[in-house]
Amino acid sequence: MRDARWLDERELHVWKVFHQLQRSLNGAIDRQLVRDAGLSGPDYTLMVPLSEAPGDVLRMRDLGMQIRWDRSRLSHHVSRMEKRGLVTREDCSDDARGAMVRLTPAGREAIEAAAPEHVETVRRYFFEQVEPDELEVLERVFDRMVSRLNADDEDGPCTR
C-alpha cells in the first residue's frame, strides 16, 4: 500500500469525470438504440463489424477479437440475437471447429434504422462538445492509450 502511486487531486477529478462521462454517454446511446431500433448497446457493438464485413459475415473468433469479447460472452450474446432473428450462426467451411456469424436481413434493417439517430446522438453528446484543436489532442491521446492497452494485452481477448 505504501508504494502505491496515488492519484493527485486533479488526476482523481479527471478519472471520476471520465467514469461519469462513460456511464452517461453509454446510457444516452443505449436509450437511443432501444428507442429507434429495439437494440441494446451490445447488440449494436456486435452488429457494426458484421455490417461492415463482406457478405455481412465474420468468423466468430474474428468477431470476438474485433469487439474484444471473450468466447463465452460472444457465444451467449449471439445465441440471444439468433432467437430475435438478427444474426445466424453457420458452420465454417475452412474449419469444422469454427463458426461464422452472419447478419440477417432483419439485423441489417435494424442496424440501418438505428444508425442515423445513433450518429446524431454521438455527434450531439461527444463531437459537438469538442473544439477542432481539442479533437486532435483527443485523437492522439486515445490512440496512445489504445496502443498501450493492446501492447499490454499479450493474449488478446479471444485467442484460446
Side-chain angles (χ1 to χ4, degrees):
M1 289 281 279
R2 290 179 216 219
D3 294 338
R5 296 183 327 154
W6 299 109
L7 302 179
D8 65 30
E9 199 171 308
R10 184 175 188 196
E11 291 169 332
L12 184 59
H13 171 75
V14 170
W15 186 243
K16 285 180 176 181
V17 170
F18 171 74
H19 271 279
Q20 183 179 359
L21 168 65
Q22 247 186 329
R23 288 188 303 271
S24 298
L25 186 57
N26 285 337
I29 289 170
D30 286 348
R31 286 188 299 278
Q32 175 272 313
L33 289 170
V34 168
R35 180 188 67 235
D36 294 333
L39 299 174
S40 68
D43 292 340
Y44 198 80
T45 296
L46 193 146
M47 294 168 80
V48 167
L50 290 174
S51 72
E52 295 170 346
D56 291 344
V57 65
L58 284 171
R59 188 179 174 120
M60 185 90 105
R61 180 187 64 211
D62 296 336
L63 177 59
M65 289 174 71
Q66 280 191 40
I67 63 176
R68 304 193 63 79
W69 285 6
D70 64 57
R71 194 177 356 195
S72 175
R73 178 180 184 191
L74 180 61
S75 181
H76 285 11
H77 202 81
V78 165
S79 293
R80 288 190 294 274
M81 290 178 71
E82 276 184 298
K83 291 176 185 167
R84 294 169 41 218
L86 300 171
V87 298
T88 59
R89 198 181 314 222
E90 303 170 357
D91 292 333
C92 180
S93 59
D94 298 343
D95 179 1
R97 296 173 303 164
M100 308 295 285
V101 181
R102 181 181 303 276
L103 192 62
T104 65
R108 166 65 65 187
E109 188 177 309
I111 195 168
E112 287 177 357
E117 240 345 276
H118 175 71
V119 170
E120 197 52 43
T121 300
V122 169
R123 187 170 298 290
R124 180 180 317 117
Y125 294 118
F126 191 88
F127 290 104
E128 287 178 3
Q129 309 309 312
V130 178
E131 299 295 328
D133 59 320
E134 294 171 325
L135 189 58
E136 282 184 41
V137 172
L138 287 177
E139 181 179 25
R140 285 195 314 271
V141 170
F142 292 170
D143 284 345
R144 186 171 53 244
M145 288 176 163
V146 167
S147 291
R148 174 63 186 262
L149 287 163
N150 288 340
D152 286 355
D153 187 11
E154 295 174 6
D155 293 330
C158 299
T159 57
R160 291 185 191 123

